[in-house]
Amino acid sequence: MNLSKLLALIAGIFIFSNTYAQTYVVTSNADSGPGTLREALTQASDDSRTTTFTINFNLPGSPGDNANRTIRLRSALPIVSSNVIIDGSSQSAWPALGVSGAKVILEPEYTNTSFSGLVIGQYSTTQVQTTGVEIYGLYIRNFASITNLQNVNMSQGSGIVIDYRANNITIGAPGKGNVIGGNINGIIIKNTYSYNAVAATQIKIRSNLIGVIYDGITPNTNVVGVSANLYDSAFDLGGDNAGEGNVIAANRINVDITRSTYSSSARFDVNVINNKIGVDYTGKKDFHELPVFLSSSSLEISGLKVNAINTALYVRNNIIGGNRTTGVSISNADFILTGNAIGTDAAGALVMGNGIGVKIEANATGTIGGATTAEANLIANNNFGIETVSSKPVKITRNSMFCNKTFGIGKTLTILQPTIQILKKRSDHVSGKATPNAEVELFYTVNCNGICEGKTYIATVQAGSDGRWEYNNALTGMVTATASLLNATTSPFSTAELLPNEAVVEPVTCNNNGSVTIPEVREGFTFSWVKIETDGSRVPKGNTQSISGLEVGTYEITIDDGCKAFPTVFVIKDQKLTKPT
């Protein structure tokens, strides 16, 4: 063969390899050498390649022996470059592990490693965006040694590291999800520095088990399940289609999503859909009693944390439970939360409470619930139901809330919150007073843990310009209400408690003529007055709504709406005129 023909052949091979998709089959579970994953990634790292490079598996031996499934790494694998598919589920002769889609195990040979399982892209050093990477069917485990969560060596490895400027990245899919546990981060999207603008990114994480082993039940804790520092990136965690949701549980922080102030002003969507966060594969058991969580009361154990500017956040149809700090925490984003079970299972039957069910923090604004039954959230069994400290409005609508221990919807001091009262109750009528022009939602309620929250939505009525509202229809239980206004945060649930300064207190100006008048007439309530004597004894004073003929002293009224009684204390002062001397 002459030189010109040889050069032509070499050029042809080069053009073929860079024009047509290639497949490498891993046939050895050795760390390195022919037929290994390391060799496959080395071949895939050709920067000039523009076509898809697929890495499939055909490992020898019986799948019943996990040693045959396991690739033990002595050092970091080559960086995963653009247009690479790693598909452990392609090991067609073997069943997947447990309920997962994983068939091939990836782990370090030595403990206390400082490298990670897979690293996708390296924009920080190459200034080249990595795109078109897919990872399926791997069990990536134990790249960190985690015996407690108080003093973790954070220089150890993570499961999958994604360069924050990587684009079109998919981790898992129905039937071929990954299992990721025993790492510093299960999956981390890095965003440490700002670089020159590149194409906006899309990252999808679906169908994985993160923080539990392949049975979906047994914990294998990561410090953080999914850590996503996004810069300019759309992000899907889970999805609407069957099997796209992840199980992310038994991690100290299960999901932590940020988009910081040095991101651009472009808006991106973040979707968190159909995941089980803090609960196992069945959606019926949480991990609040996990020994590594109980080692210290100061540990933050959180479900979903989002702090993301210029972001449209959609959180729907997730089960979130067993997180002793917060179930959902949102800062800076515009959000919609619908169809989630927070502190309970999807049927609302089990107790899987969080510390705070939903906490809306600085500069976040949005809606919790929605106009249809499917959009209602179940928020139950948490120490606190919904707390908002944002100065922006939050509408809380048509949810089912029950058995939260301290409050269902908390009071806020950072933004206007309308008032709401039920004043008259009959079997076919309920009416009251709210902040003028408020939208009033009515619910059936039950007393659980001494709290009466809106468990079952009844109807919405409008308050007039005088604040008066009413509903006329058959009622089959105790009723509570909320009030919402544009540019305000929805009120707490109504109670029998008097509003501040609602009662008119008159002092004694002559013999026993003090009084307490409650102007708004109540119907369907009971009243009980006592005088609290200086020795602490209580002397009954009647059962009327208002009271007169009082001498100087301390009086208490207890108002009971049939769900919970609320006491209010009044002091009748002495303002009698005395004869000048």
Side-chain angles (χ1 to χ4, degrees), residues 247-259:
V247 176
I248 309 171
N251 309 290
R252 187 174 71 81
I253 297 175
N254 286 302
V255 182
D256 191 0
I257 300 171
T258 59
R259 188 167 181 239

Side-chain angles (χ1 to χ4, degrees), residues 301 322-327 353-358 381-385 404:
I301 311 295
N323 305 286
R324 76 170 180 221
T325 306
T326 54
N354 304 282
I356 302 172
V358 180
N381 308 308
N382 307 288
N383 291 338
F384 304 87
N404 296 294

Side-chain angles (χ1 to χ4, degrees), residues 451-485:
I451 306 294
C452 299
E453 305 164 79
K455 185 173 185 181
T456 305
Y457 171 76
I458 303 171
T460 299
V461 297
Q462 190 71 33
S465 58
D466 60 354
R468 303 288 176 182
W469 60 267
E470 66 176 47
Y471 174 76
N472 295 292
N473 215 323
L475 297 168
T476 59
M478 295 180 292
V479 177
T480 187
T482 60
S484 296
L485 277 174

